[in-house]
Amino acid sequence: MVSKSYSNLLELASGEAPSPSFSRMSRRIPRIMTVPGIISDLDDDPSESVCSEPSSVQRDRIIIVANQLPIRVQRKPDNSKGWTFNWDENSLLLQLKDGLGDDEIDVIYVGCLKEEIHPNEQDEVSQILLETFKCVPTFLPPDLFSRYYHGFCKQQLWPLFHYMLPLSPDLGGRFNRSLWQAYVSVNKIFADRIMEVINPEDDFVWVHDYHLMVLPTFLRKRFNRVKLGFFLHSPFPSSEIYKTLPIREELLRALLNSDLIGFHTFDYARHFLSCCSRMLGLSYESKRGYIGLEYYGRTVSIKILPVGIHMGQLQSVLSLSETEAKVAELIKQFCDQGRILLLGVDDMDIFKGISLKLLAMEQLLMQHPEWQGKVVLVQIANPARGRGKDVKEVQSETHSTVKRINEQFGKPGYEPVILIDEPLKFYERIAYYVVAECCLVTAVRDGMNLIPYEYIISRQGNEKLDKVLGLESSNPKKSMLVVSEFIGCSPSLSGAIRVNPWNIDAVADAMDCALEMAEQEKQMRHEKHYRYVSTHDVGYWARSFLQDLGRTCKDHERRRCWSIGFGLSFRVVALDSNFRKLSVEHIVSAYKRTTTRAILLDYDGTLMPQSSIDKSPSSKTIQIINNLGRDKNNMVFIVSARSRSKLADWFSPCEKLGIAAEHGYFLRLKRDAEWETCVPAVECSWKQIVEPVMKLYTETTDGSTIEDKETALVWCYEDADPDFGSCQAKELLDHLESVLANEPVTVKSGQNIVEVKPQGVSKGLVAKRLLSTMQERGMSPDFVLCIGDDRSDEDMFEVISSSMADPSMDPNAEVFACTVGQKPSKAKYFLDDTVEIVRLMQGLASVSEKAVPV
């Protein structure tokens, strides 16, 4: 992870490198950004690929990419030319850097500024930000930015990810193709900007949030081995909501071009994994605590960890004299008047549930008149980040509700609800936290929400604030939280009172419970929360994410990569360096020069596509097998999990074909030969135990079936709901393993199946039997071809690969173990699908057909 600056921009900017190189690079930076208009989905210009240069910098480096830079920008006073720039201390991206520690890692930021910069000033601004802040600004034409951010991000992605379907034009934006094109174009511009500063061999790239969901595709296309993490700060909706998005697969595939994808909660990750399963047919595995998706030979890891707060920043604000003064003012305003302060801090948008909170306050005062005149709800309403009709409606409803409650329950010197809808300084907000007896967060949907974390740390306070509050420093602190169960921080706050914000009565009861709770209980809950929040801060979150990103990327160098797909369907296939596509020319050449050949072929998924409903072999397949079988130099076997009666019926025209049925339990060398068994005959009394269990799961799993073979029972859920079928299969596997613990059988799961079969039976036995039979007849093979598509075929691959080390085998034998599809396998070769396999077999058959005398 030692970084070598891709273009050495940082060294050059600080004067540590020759100036000619710097002037060349500094000219390149802004010009990519100043081209307006829509840009094509992917840029195939090979001239943009550049080579990394060595650098003397020996610190780890990460490029953090987000929609906005952590920079405040203002035009210089008196309308003079130029801008002033300062760090935005409230930005999570800046807090993330502080949490990592300046001595450990270099951080470069890529993102937009909050102000529009005229094209004539962009070069100068880029130079200043790079030299002073290590920031690379992305300049977007105003029209493109508006369509990208206010259009696609805020009107389409953001509502949908917060569970709002566009059932009518008034309920969220209907999908607009031009806005989607703008979104893709901006992501492409961000990728171009990153190209200016990245060293792909060493740098890590960390992309943040839904504004840049297709950026991983552009980066992966430029650099197949880029070390790339993505963190989604919003909720990820359930598959039922997400699948309504017209570009659902494009976004999923783009995210899967990351190495590590982070979510705040397990629910969000679970929804993402469910979407990958239902829409892309991908399954995930949990290995030693890490969740991973196998995607074209790459393992995409899933990280579940909520973001934390910046402890240092919060504690420094708590220590300010301004904070103490504001706390003293609030104590005089509320506590000295006998008032108990409840606090809400929310953005003024439709998902924060401000109106629901106000209705609950109204209900509390109605149901518990004893609190009238005593309890005050201060609602701080931050300006909305978006704009539009819905924001105005929320503002109007909030003001009217506050007015109604105050008119009904207020009296001289007492207002039950105080609405603060103007921006507050951070220390002022912290002061409200310090004084508030309870914090209410009733959002109907929110990705994380750090308000409860800030409240807990503020209530812990410090010695100076204790004096202002009139508390002994040795006294235990207390706090109370009422939080919505629909926000990302809820699972980590086990001591909070969790509520359904839509249930007004329940929220009112929770508020009453928080007010009435015993002091010791409040103290214990606060202590539990403080212990978690103080140890799981933003630095812990960032270090944990980068540690997992490094672990996920550690195998990049030893894998070979291929690029496949066009546009946003682009993906990288990463395979072991010894794993390669089987060349038809190579195998045909080997076939021609050899004289004793063993050919073992799986059937379903190899010669016959899994998606076919009619599974019987075509006349073309029969002809190919007959042509291969008539060649006296060949021994051809179909090795299948299917029953011997079915296989015998299907391949009855093939006189010379050997068949291994039920994973090789039954075997015959040619059509007229007797069936043999590869293992001693077994009793199948265990079926009486298995069948009732499988029937139970079949009845409760719509779309599942049972296949009864002579020596095996198979439960198939190919036509069931993929998530429910997979869940039921795991349960069935556990159930069968427990009831069959003392039976001579094995229980295995496969592709959409759970199978029970006799112990010791495998396709590997068939391969051993065939090779030993040929040797006994003095026909030691000098050509072995084995093709299969699933786990059961891996046994064959292992046997034929290891048998080549046997001294009795021909040391010059040509061995081809080939799997279907590009995936991890014990085979050394692959072909993409059944079409290529049939084409290969047809080529070998044509060679034999010419060699066989008429």
Side-chain angles (χ1 to χ4, degrees):
M1 194 172 153
V2 175
S3 174
K4 295 173 291 187
S5 173
Y6 185 59
S7 304
N8 292 331
L9 283 178
L10 299 181
E11 288 183 4
L12 295 165
S14 61
E16 296 177 11
S19 56
S21 296
F22 172 70
S23 61
R24 183 181 71 248
M25 296 310 301
S26 65
R27 285 198 303 271
R28 289 180 60 192
I29 293 174
R31 290 192 173 174
I32 292 179
M33 299 299 99
T34 54
V35 180
I38 297 295
I39 299 176
S40 61
D41 279 5
L42 287 172
D43 189 352
D44 291 311
D45 185 1
S47 66
E48 291 194 17
S49 296
V50 281
C51 300
S52 56
E53 301 172 13
S55 164
S56 60
V57 179
Q58 295 296 312
R59 295 172 69 188
D60 296 342
R61 197 174 77 159
I62 180 170
I63 300 172
I64 296 177
V65 191
N67 177 52
Q68 285 190 343
L69 290 171
I71 294 288
R72 289 196 181 102
V73 53
Q74 286 183 319
R75 174 68 75 179
K76 287 183 177 178
D78 303 325
N79 294 321
S80 61
K81 289 185 178 181
W83 299 84
T84 58
F85 303 99
N86 295 289
W87 287 116
D88 181 359
E89 293 84 3
N90 295 326
S91 170
L92 173 67
L93 304 183
L94 182 62
Q95 296 172 4
L96 180 161
K97 177 185 176 183
D98 290 345
L100 290 173
D102 288 338
D103 296 334
E104 298 178 13
I105 194 166
D106 275 330
V107 175
I108 298 177
Y109 293 104
V110 178
C112 298
L113 291 168
K114 296 176 184 178
E115 297 289 338
E116 183 184 343
I117 307 295
H118 191 277
N120 293 340
E121 300 176 286
Q122 288 176 5
D123 282 20
E124 180 185 358
V125 167
S126 292
Q127 189 70 36
I128 293 169
L129 289 176
L130 183 65
E131 292 178 0
T132 311
F133 299 95
K134 293 185 181 178
C135 288
V136 180
T138 302
F139 300 113
L140 302 173
D143 175 61
L144 180 62
F145 178 81
S146 179
R147 284 182 291 139
Y148 147 73
Y149 182 75
H150 296 294
F152 192 77
C153 289
K154 285 299 181 182
Q155 290 181 23
Q156 297 182 0
L157 279 185
W158 190 73
L160 187 81
F161 278 27
H162 289 76
Y163 287 72
M164 178 180 281
L165 289 174
L167 299 175
S168 72
D170 294 333
L171 297 174
R174 296 280 174 86
F175 181 76
N176 183 315
R177 181 66 61 177
S178 68
L179 298 183
W180 162 242
Q181 290 172 342
Y183 180 83
V184 172
S185 297
V186 169
N187 277 249
K188 167 70 167 57
I189 292 172
F190 268 82
D192 291 338
R193 205 61 167 148
I194 294 166
M195 292 305 107
E196 298 291 339
V197 292
I198 189 175
N199 170 18
E201 296 173 4
D202 296 322
D203 292 348
F204 284 72
V205 181
W206 189 355
V207 181
H208 289 264
D209 223 1
Y210 63 93
H211 314 90
L212 301 170
M213 289 177 75
V214 300
L215 178 57
T217 289
F218 294 113
L219 294 178
R220 185 70 61 191
K221 182 177 186 295
R222 302 292 180 86
F223 304 114
N224 290 348
R225 292 186 177 86
V226 66
K227 300 165 184 175
L228 177 59
F230 181 94
F231 198 95
L232 183 68
H233 292 273
S234 80
F236 195 94
S238 70
S239 61
E240 291 302 304
I241 297 292
Y242 180 79
K243 71 182 181 182
T244 63
L245 193 61
I247 40 85
R248 60 192 189 183
E249 290 191 12
E250 288 90 331
L251 286 185
L252 287 179
R253 292 194 183 280
L255 287 178
L256 290 170
N257 276 319
S258 307
D259 293 298
L260 178 66
I261 306 172
F263 300 93
H264 286 306
T265 73
F266 173 69
D267 275 350
Y268 303 161
R270 178 169 57 86
H271 293 157
F272 173 75
L273 293 169
S274 176
C275 289
C276 289
S277 170
R278 291 173 176 272
M279 295 161 211
L280 303 180
L282 302 175
S283 58
Y284 71 92
E285 287 185 349
S286 181
K287 295 179 180 178
R288 297 187 178 182
Y290 296 108
I291 299 174
L293 278 163
E294 286 296 325
Y295 187 61
Y296 290 90
R298 293 173 49 244
T299 298
V300 181
S301 294
I302 304 298
K303 177 76 171 176
I304 302 167
L305 184 66
V307 69
I309 59 174
H310 192 306
M311 288 289 295
Q313 180 201 31
L314 207 54
Q315 287 168 344
S316 66
V317 175
L318 285 167
S319 301
L320 293 175
S321 58
E322 293 94 329
T323 306
E324 293 178 40
K326 185 65 179 178
V327 168
E329 177 189 324
L330 294 175
I331 289 172
K332 185 177 180 181
Q333 181 181 353
F334 296 105
C335 302
D336 292 352
Q337 303 297 320
R339 312 282 193 244
I340 300 173
L341 177 60
L342 305 180
L343 181 64
V345 181
D346 304 277
D347 292 346
M348 186 70 83
D349 71 49
I350 57 177
F351 296 113
K352 293 303 186 285
I354 295 176
S355 60
L356 297 175
K357 186 188 305 177
L358 295 173
L359 292 174
M361 179 65 180
E362 183 178 38
Q363 192 81 342
L364 173 73
L365 297 175
M366 289 173 59
Q367 292 181 348
H368 301 276
E370 67 272 17
W371 293 121
Q372 295 179 21
K374 295 181 180 179
V375 174
V376 177
L377 171 63
V378 174
Q379 176 61 56
I380 299 172
N382 302 318
R385 300 180 191 181
R387 62 190 185 190
K389 180 181 175 183
D390 54 350
V391 173
K392 294 177 181 177
E393 289 176 351
V394 170
Q395 291 172 333
S396 174
E397 183 182 8
T398 300
H399 283 91
S400 63
T401 307
V402 170
K403 182 180 178 182
R404 184 181 73 243
I405 295 172
N406 286 339
E407 287 176 352
Q408 183 177 355
F409 299 102
K411 54 188 178 183
Y414 170 68
E415 281 190 335
V417 179
I418 298 174
L419 178 65
I420 302 174
D421 59 353
E422 57 188 26
L424 288 182
K425 293 181 179 178
F426 190 41
Y427 78 85
E428 293 179 304
R429 195 172 88 203
I430 294 298
Y432 276 99
Y433 288 146
V434 172
V435 178
E437 185 71 15
C438 178
C439 184
L440 311 171
V441 183
T442 57
V444 297
R445 190 71 60 179
D446 205 351
M448 183 57 194
N449 200 314
L450 293 174
I451 298 300
Y453 287 12
E454 293 177 351
Y455 169 69
I456 290 162
I457 300 302
S458 300
R459 289 289 286 180
Q460 185 69 16
N462 55 39
E463 289 185 6
K464 290 183 179 179
L465 290 174
D466 288 345
K467 290 179 182 178
V468 176
L469 294 165
L471 300 174
E472 292 289 336
S473 297
S474 59
N475 288 353
K477 303 300 168 56
K478 61 179 181 177
S479 63
M480 273 309 300
L481 283 165
V482 175
V483 301
S484 164
E485 60 192 44
F486 301 119
I487 63 177
C489 66
S490 175
S492 62
L493 298 171
S494 56
I497 302 175
R498 296 193 184 107
V499 294
N500 174 2
W502 300 101
N503 188 337
I504 305 300
D505 290 335
V507 178
D509 289 343
M511 293 164 71
D512 180 60
C513 177
L515 292 167
E516 294 280 10
M517 188 173 289
E519 295 294 298
Q520 187 176 1
E521 180 68 17
K522 291 181 181 180
Q523 292 165 3
M524 293 178 69
R525 292 184 183 221
H526 171 79
E527 183 184 351
K528 183 177 185 180
H529 288 158
Y530 179 75
R531 191 164 53 245
Y532 175 84
V533 174
S534 60
T535 55
H536 292 72
D537 63 354
V538 67
Y540 173 86
W541 170 74
R543 288 190 299 272
S544 180
F545 187 90
L546 291 176
Q547 182 180 349
D548 278 9
L549 181 58
R551 175 187 56 80
T552 303
C553 298
K554 71 179 186 303
D555 291 335
H556 275 14
E557 294 305 316
R558 70 177 186 83
R559 291 186 172 271
R560 293 191 304 156
C561 297
W562 289 268
S563 303
I564 60 174
F566 298 97
L568 292 175
S569 295
F570 172 86
R571 54 232 185 251
V572 166
V573 178
L575 300 168
D576 190 270
S577 57
N578 294 323
F579 191 59
R580 55 190 182 273
K581 189 165 185 176
L582 184 56
S583 163
V584 175
E585 293 78 10
H586 176 50
I587 193 172
V588 167
S589 173
Y591 187 86
K592 286 179 178 178
R593 64 175 179 266
T594 51
T595 57
T596 309
R597 313 183 191 103
I599 301 173
L600 298 97
L601 305 172
D602 174 46
Y603 184 68
D604 291 283
T606 301
L607 293 176
M608 175 59 59
Q610 292 281 11
S611 57
S612 296
I613 296 176
D614 180 8
K615 299 291 188 182
S616 60
S618 65
S619 57
K620 180 180 179 180
T621 301
I622 296 293
Q623 182 183 358
I624 289 171
I625 289 174
N626 275 331
N627 286 340
L628 289 171
R630 290 192 193 104
D631 189 332
K632 60 181 178 56
N633 295 326
N634 294 344
M635 284 195 73
V636 184
F637 257 81
I638 294 290
V639 186
S640 173
R642 289 191 174 272
S643 66
R644 59 175 171 173
S645 58
K646 181 73 74 176
L647 293 171
D649 178 46
W650 282 350
F651 293 100
S652 57
C654 304
E655 180 184 356
K656 303 289 187 180
L657 176 66
I659 294 177
E662 299 191 20
H663 292 294
Y665 184 88
F666 294 109
L667 183 77
R668 74 178 190 191
L669 297 178
K670 56 184 179 180
R671 185 179 64 187
D672 299 331
E674 294 292 325
W675 286 100
E676 309 170 28
T677 58
C678 281
V679 295
V682 295
E683 289 286 332
C684 290
S685 57
W686 52 265
K687 283 190 175 184
Q688 298 171 9
I689 303 172
V690 173
E691 195 165 9
V693 177
M694 285 189 173
K695 280 184 177 179
L696 173 65
Y697 282 82
T698 304
E699 290 167 5
T700 57
T701 312
D702 187 42
S704 63
T705 57
I706 299 173
E707 183 182 359
D708 188 355
K709 303 177 185 177
E710 289 182 68
T711 64
L713 276 174
V714 182
W715 187 74
C716 176
Y717 58 96
E718 184 177 5
D719 297 325
D721 177 273
D723 284 344
F724 184 55
S726 177
C727 177
Q728 290 289 80
K730 290 174 184 175
E731 287 290 325
L732 176 59
L733 190 71
D734 290 342
H735 194 157
L736 291 174
E737 284 179 342
S738 64
V739 299
L740 295 171
N742 298 319
E743 298 292 334
V745 293
T746 57
V747 186
K748 288 194 174 182
S749 61
Q751 190 169 2
N752 297 323
I753 65 162
V754 174
E755 183 172 26
V756 183
K757 62 182 182 180
Q759 287 178 349
V761 175
S762 74
K763 291 185 177 180
L765 282 180
V766 179
K768 279 184 181 178
R769 178 72 176 272
L770 176 60
L771 294 176
S772 62
T773 300
M774 294 181 73
Q775 284 181 310
E776 289 168 5
R777 297 181 179 181
M779 301 167 56
S780 183
D782 53 6
F783 176 97
V784 180
L785 171 63
C786 179
I787 308 179
D789 75 308
D790 65 16
R791 292 180 190 172
S792 64
D793 300 307
E794 295 294 317
D795 294 329
M796 288 197 293
F797 301 150
E798 187 173 18
V799 166
I800 68 164
S801 299
S802 60
S803 64
M804 291 303 102
D806 190 326
S808 62
M809 294 291 291
D810 186 341
N812 298 316
E814 301 277 3
V815 179
F816 301 92
C818 178
T819 189
V820 182
Q822 303 173 38
K823 57 179 183 276
S825 172
K826 292 174 183 174
K828 290 188 176 181
Y829 299 94
F830 71 88
L831 288 171
D832 288 329
D833 50 34
T834 56
V835 174
E836 289 195 353
I837 288 161
V838 171
R839 188 181 300 130
L840 167 67
M841 300 314 298
Q842 194 169 13
L844 300 182
S846 64
V847 174
S848 288
E849 190 177 14
K850 293 173 184 175
V852 174
V854 180

